[in-house]
Amino acid sequence: MLSSFDCTGGEELLNYDAQLDAALQRLHDEGRYRTFIDIERQKGAFPHAIWRRPDGQEQPVTVWCGNDYLGMGQHPAVLQAMHEAIEATGAGSGGTRNISGTTVYHKRLEAELADLHRKEAALLFTSAYIANDATLSTLPKLFPGLIIYSDALNHASMIEGVCRNGGAKRIFRHNDVAHLRELLAADDPDAPKLIAFESIYSMDGDFGPIEAICDLADEFGALTYIDEVHAVGMYGPRGGGVAERDGLMARIDIINGTLAKAYGVMGGYIAGTAKMCDAIRSYAPGFIFTTSLPPAVAAGAAASVRHLKTDQALRERHQTQARILKLRLKGMGLPIIDHGSHIVPVHVGDPVHCKALSDMLLAEYGMYVQPINFPTVPRGTERLRFTPSPVHGPGEIDKLVHALDQLWSHCALNRADLTG
């Protein structure tokens, strides 16, 4: 039992088990306790997988909430590169980047990423979360007195880095350029400044006003930091993200991206000037003290980045499938949140109903979509977030639309309950 005792009288002072029970029960009471769904992806069959049910039985499912947006986790070029690296080097990297963990595979990947974003250099991390946290928490060490202006809906990794860096911070209302201007104008014009924002906000699928923010950065002498996690690989003629699509990459000082979504593997990175990457590499504990990615992962990611620089057709099929799914769901009258990106959120507005819909889609229809609840989104905005891919074909879309129509219209959780 996890408990603490007074050594003199034997009286129990703290019952740690009870406190853990209470913390977990709060999540159950609010309808937002999260459960793992045990699935086994099937090589060559994405988006199909096998769900291992709690009773031990296996059930085929279609994954509708994966972040492998383009199916690159199954691409032959990626798998071949990973197999070759394993055969050549073995499993792990053997250390941190500073101590035996930098290999030719890591350097090749960083070169591919720097080229992708037309920057002098790139710096590889074990995840985009760590890249955001480590970079944003380190910048005030490099620029004493730095003020960071952060969008109110930035990802948790950005918030973590901004909040614990010891520097000054300002939060501007989501995508509100006028509010950002007010905050910038109110501060010391000689203070170093950085504006941190995203290109695509993953819960609603809306776009950040990149050009307007860059204009403000120029006017007030601020650096720009953009999170392109939900855009790299999928937007722009070479997959450089929304900033590349809009011809704005050169105006961004630091670009954050991931290798775990469109690129289908694992890892995160920043791209910028050689001096900026060198300084972060030299000062960020999240980089210095972390074992580097396995060479096979770096090799697979590099192959994926390289391939997507030329596969515009795959990006176009992805956007087409997203448009078709949104059109079909809108035709049913479902409350779709549509800002023109590839992300398809369906607003439910209640955590219990959201979880129930997710459970029924999985158990009765073999459709896996995870409920999105607080704290990922604000209370009252709970949703199902669908992420169609180029390999979610007409058959998969038809089955999903049919299942949602049945559940929304005829189940105990009827349409009035869900939208009221």
Side-chain angles (χ1 to χ4, degrees):
M1 181 177 181
L2 295 173
S3 56
S4 177
F5 293 87
D6 181 341
C7 293
T8 58
E11 182 180 353
E12 186 173 340
L13 298 176
L14 267 178
N15 188 326
Y16 292 103
D17 272 341
Q19 294 192 30
L20 292 174
D21 288 339
L24 293 170
Q25 189 59 46
R26 285 195 297 272
L27 298 178
H28 284 287
D29 293 343
E30 295 174 16
R32 59 186 187 92
Y33 178 79
R34 303 184 185 197
T35 57
F36 289 138
I37 305 299
D38 185 3
I39 65 170
E40 181 179 340
R41 283 160 58 99
Q42 297 176 293
K43 178 183 175 182
F46 182 80
H48 302 290
I50 297 296
W51 172 38
R52 301 190 186 280
R53 301 168 59 110
D55 61 8
Q57 298 297 310
E58 295 184 352
Q59 176 178 329
V61 297
T62 301
V63 178
W64 275 102
C65 58
N67 282 337
D68 187 358
Y69 288 132
L70 301 179
M72 290 301 294
Q74 308 279 310
H75 196 281
V78 175
L79 301 183
Q80 180 180 348
M82 296 185 75
H83 280 298
E84 289 175 355
I86 287 176
E87 290 300 319
T89 70
S93 68
T96 66
R97 288 292 299 274
N98 289 321
I99 306 176
S100 81
T102 294
T103 70
V104 294
Y105 299 97
H106 298 86
K107 300 301 289 184
R108 288 172 188 165
L109 175 54
E110 287 175 336
E112 288 285 355
L113 294 168
D115 173 74
L116 173 67
H117 294 292
R118 304 302 192 194
K119 298 296 185 185
E120 291 179 349
L123 187 64
L124 184 62
F125 292 80
T126 51
S127 73
Y129 187 107
I130 298 298
N132 271 333
D133 182 14
T135 303
L136 289 168
S137 63
T138 298
L139 287 169
K141 301 175 186 176
L142 306 174
F143 306 106
L146 179 70
I147 303 171
I148 295 183
Y149 303 80
S150 179
D151 188 286
L153 292 189
N154 276 342
H155 189 266
S157 58
M158 301 175 75
I159 294 170
E160 183 70 16
V162 170
C163 287
R164 71 180 187 84
N165 65 22
K169 60 181 180 294
R170 311 281 186 263
I171 310 302
F172 62 94
R173 291 186 291 270
H174 177 54
N175 279 352
D176 191 333
V177 178
H179 187 219
L180 174 58
R181 168 183 281 281
E182 291 176 12
L183 296 174
L184 287 162
D187 282 319
D188 180 356
D190 295 326
K193 301 174 180 68
L194 178 138
I195 306 170
F197 62 107
E198 299 185 35
S199 63
I200 298 178
Y201 292 84
S202 62
M203 290 301 111
D204 285 347
D206 56 331
F207 293 88
I210 302 175
E211 185 172 17
I213 288 177
C214 288
D215 289 343
L216 281 180
D218 290 345
E219 180 180 349
F220 288 93
L223 296 170
T224 48
Y225 184 107
I226 192 170
D227 179 310
E228 288 259 33
V229 160
H230 289 274
V232 290
M234 295 174 287
Y235 293 81
R238 300 168 74 239
V242 179
E244 184 196 27
R245 182 197 70 180
D246 296 347
L248 298 168
M249 276 200 308
R251 300 184 67 185
I252 303 293
D253 294 294
I254 304 174
I255 297 174
N256 168 274
T258 187
L259 302 164
K261 291 182 170 60
Y263 294 117
V265 192
M266 180 184 176
Y269 64 89
I270 60 168
T273 65
K275 284 184 180 179
M276 181 67 77
C277 291
D278 191 25
I280 297 298
R281 176 190 74 82
S282 301
Y283 280 87
F287 178 87
I288 296 169
F289 298 104
T290 300
T291 298
S292 63
L293 288 171
V297 171
S304 186
V305 173
R306 192 178 308 117
H307 175 86
L308 285 177
K309 287 177 180 177
T310 60
D311 198 344
Q312 183 66 9
L314 186 61
R315 279 187 281 279
E316 291 172 355
R317 289 202 302 274
H318 179 225
Q319 292 293 328
T320 297
Q321 295 306 91
R323 284 194 295 270
I324 290 172
L325 179 60
K326 285 187 283 190
L327 185 64
R328 297 284 302 275
L329 296 181
K330 285 179 182 177
M332 295 166 53
L334 297 191
I336 301 297
I337 304 170
D338 184 7
H339 292 284
S341 72
H342 61 283
I343 295 170
V344 187
V346 177
H347 180 265
V348 177
D350 178 270
V352 175
H353 290 170
C354 197
K355 179 68 164 60
L357 270 174
S358 172
D359 289 346
M360 287 187 287
L361 280 169
L362 181 64
E364 299 175 21
Y365 294 92
M367 308 284 175
Y368 174 37
V369 56
Q370 190 73 7
I372 308 294
N373 296 328
F374 179 83
T376 306
V377 295
R379 298 180 194 275
T381 69
E382 291 81 7
R383 67 203 60 184
L384 299 175
R385 188 187 65 158
F386 298 91
T387 54
S389 76
V391 290
H392 285 90
E396 284 85 6
I397 291 178
D398 284 344
K399 290 176 183 177
L400 175 64
V401 169
H402 172 75
L404 282 171
D405 187 44
Q406 292 292 312
L407 290 176
W408 212 274
S409 302
H410 303 298
C411 293
L413 297 175
N414 57 50
R415 191 180 307 233
D417 289 337
L418 290 169
T419 59

